[in-house]
Amino acid sequence: MAAAFCDLQAARHQADYDHLATFTKANTLAYIEDARKAIAAFQAAEDKHQEAFLTLVALKSGIR
């Protein structure tokens, strides 16, 4: 799930800031499927693992 999050974030930044970037319909649909799988994996995880993941994300991003 974390790898998918990083990949999807990179694609989002490319879409937002690289005005020469192009995305095919197939690529876009694959990103959507990856996001759905990552969400499902997160939701299927035990609460303690969800909390640990979110804590690491918060610490890495500097959220306090």
Side-chain angles (χ1 to χ4, degrees):
M1 182 190 67
F5 178 83
C6 290
D7 293 343
L8 291 166
Q9 183 73 3
R12 184 188 149 253
H13 283 285
Q14 185 181 19
D16 286 350
Y17 303 112
D18 182 352
H19 301 292
L20 300 177
T22 58
F23 297 90
T24 65
K25 182 176 181 177
N27 255 3
T28 302
L29 292 174
Y31 285 133
I32 293 168
E33 183 61 23
D34 289 347
R36 287 185 175 141
K37 287 179 182 177
I39 291 167
F42 180 80
Q43 291 173 334
E46 295 179 39
D47 288 347
K48 66 181 182 182
H49 296 297
Q50 291 178 359
E51 185 177 326
F53 176 76
L54 294 173
T55 300
L56 289 171
V57 169
L59 291 174
K60 178 70 175 167
S61 66
I63 296 173
R64 298 184 201 281

